[in-house]
Amino acid sequence: MSKDKVNKFFKIINSYNDFEHLLSIIICNSGPTLKKQKTASLIIFNENGRRLNKLWDKYKSKVKEKLNIDYFELKKNQNSTIVIFYNYEMLKSNLNDKLNMRFLNRFGYNNEMNLQQCMQLLSERYQKACPHEIGIFLGYPTEDVVTFVDCPDKECKLIGYWKVYHDIEKAKVIFQAYDLLKQNIIEGILNGYSPIKLINERVYL
């Protein structure tokens, strides 16, 4: 996408009211999750620009209602809020996967924990640093997450939405699908669709 289009896009969303501005940021950064192509998406709301941290705090209930998606605040302070938006059934299935849970066992997770308890532990671990197992929550391939953790010096084959060590062709297809969806959402806004209209008319989402 050209630089002119990107600049025009930001000019448009900066002209929105606070709620629609926040909504447009969330839609553009979590489109694959909203479309159920991806298990979850991570967004950091900070104090720059329109003070997204404050807007999120004010409108999060309205956002959840409008987008019909679950979320969990992993870390929050005066300057930022780190939020994971997720599809409940997809994430539950990910955490119930035997291979995933075997890996998660290393970090204190276990089969007896429900999704909310797993999220709480992830949040507790996030207070010190971004925990590597978050890749499992975000729906990254297990083998890539494990290699990233166990072989930190190994050179990856591709960097996109995650570091790819194994099936590069499959990852390319997924990355292209995510990029295309984001591009379509941006094009929709450039063509006059407000984020509310994109949602209500299920345009691209």
Side-chain angles (χ1 to χ4, degrees):
M1 180 169 287
S2 70
K3 185 177 180 180
D4 286 343
K5 281 190 173 183
V6 172
N7 289 336
K8 185 179 179 182
F9 164 76
F10 280 109
K11 184 176 180 179
I12 291 172
I13 68 170
N14 284 334
S15 71
Y16 289 157
N17 62 43
D18 285 346
F19 176 65
E20 289 202 335
H21 178 76
L22 175 68
L23 206 56
S24 64
I25 296 294
I26 294 172
I27 290 172
C28 285
N29 286 281
S30 63
T33 299
L34 294 172
K35 199 171 175 61
K36 297 187 178 180
Q37 294 178 348
K38 190 172 184 288
T39 303
S41 296
L42 196 69
I43 300 180
I44 301 175
F45 299 111
N46 55 43
E47 284 292 276
N48 296 332
R50 292 278 285 267
R51 304 185 71 184
L52 293 176
N53 191 24
K54 296 291 189 296
L55 295 185
W56 166 252
D57 205 42
K58 181 177 181 179
Y59 292 113
K60 56 188 174 185
S61 295
K62 191 175 179 181
V63 167
K64 177 178 171 61
E65 179 183 345
K66 181 60 67 174
L67 295 181
N68 190 30
I69 193 170
D70 290 295
Y71 72 84
F72 193 93
E73 295 181 351
L74 294 175
K75 187 175 182 179
K76 185 178 181 68
N77 57 40
Q78 289 185 337
N79 299 315
S80 66
T81 306
I82 301 173
V83 182
I84 184 169
F85 294 87
Y86 63 94
N87 292 300
Y88 181 87
E89 292 300 330
M90 292 176 69
L91 181 53
K92 185 178 178 181
S93 177
N94 257 21
L95 297 179
N96 285 337
D97 179 85
K98 290 182 179 179
L99 188 60
N100 285 341
M101 185 49 69
R102 191 177 306 128
F103 171 71
L104 291 173
N105 286 161
R106 302 190 201 176
F107 309 103
Y109 303 84
N110 63 68
N111 296 321
E112 303 301 318
M113 298 170 68
N114 59 34
L115 191 150
Q116 190 72 12
Q117 290 170 324
C118 288
M119 284 295 211
Q120 186 59 46
L121 178 55
L122 182 68
S123 176
E124 290 170 6
R125 288 175 48 74
Y126 213 123
Q127 303 313 304
K128 296 180 180 179
C130 182
H132 295 321
E133 73 270 17
I134 197 170
I136 299 297
F137 288 79
L138 295 173
Y140 300 164
T142 309
E143 59 271 25
D144 285 333
V145 178
V146 173
T147 301
F148 177 78
V149 173
D150 290 348
C151 308
D153 295 326
K154 184 174 182 178
E155 185 175 351
C156 65
K157 299 177 180 178
L158 177 69
I159 297 178
Y161 289 82
W162 68 85
K163 287 188 175 183
V164 182
Y165 297 90
H166 299 279
D167 196 337
I168 186 171
E169 294 306 319
K170 183 178 180 180
K172 283 181 179 179
V173 171
I174 294 172
F175 292 172
Q176 288 171 0
Y178 293 172
D179 287 343
L180 179 60
L181 178 58
K182 185 173 184 177
Q183 180 176 321
N184 286 340
I185 292 170
I186 291 174
E187 290 284 359
I189 289 176
L190 291 176
N191 290 329
Y193 283 90
S194 68
I196 298 292
K197 191 173 183 180
L198 285 174
I199 296 164
N200 290 342
E201 298 186 11
R202 308 305 298 173
V203 180
Y204 310 123
L205 295 172

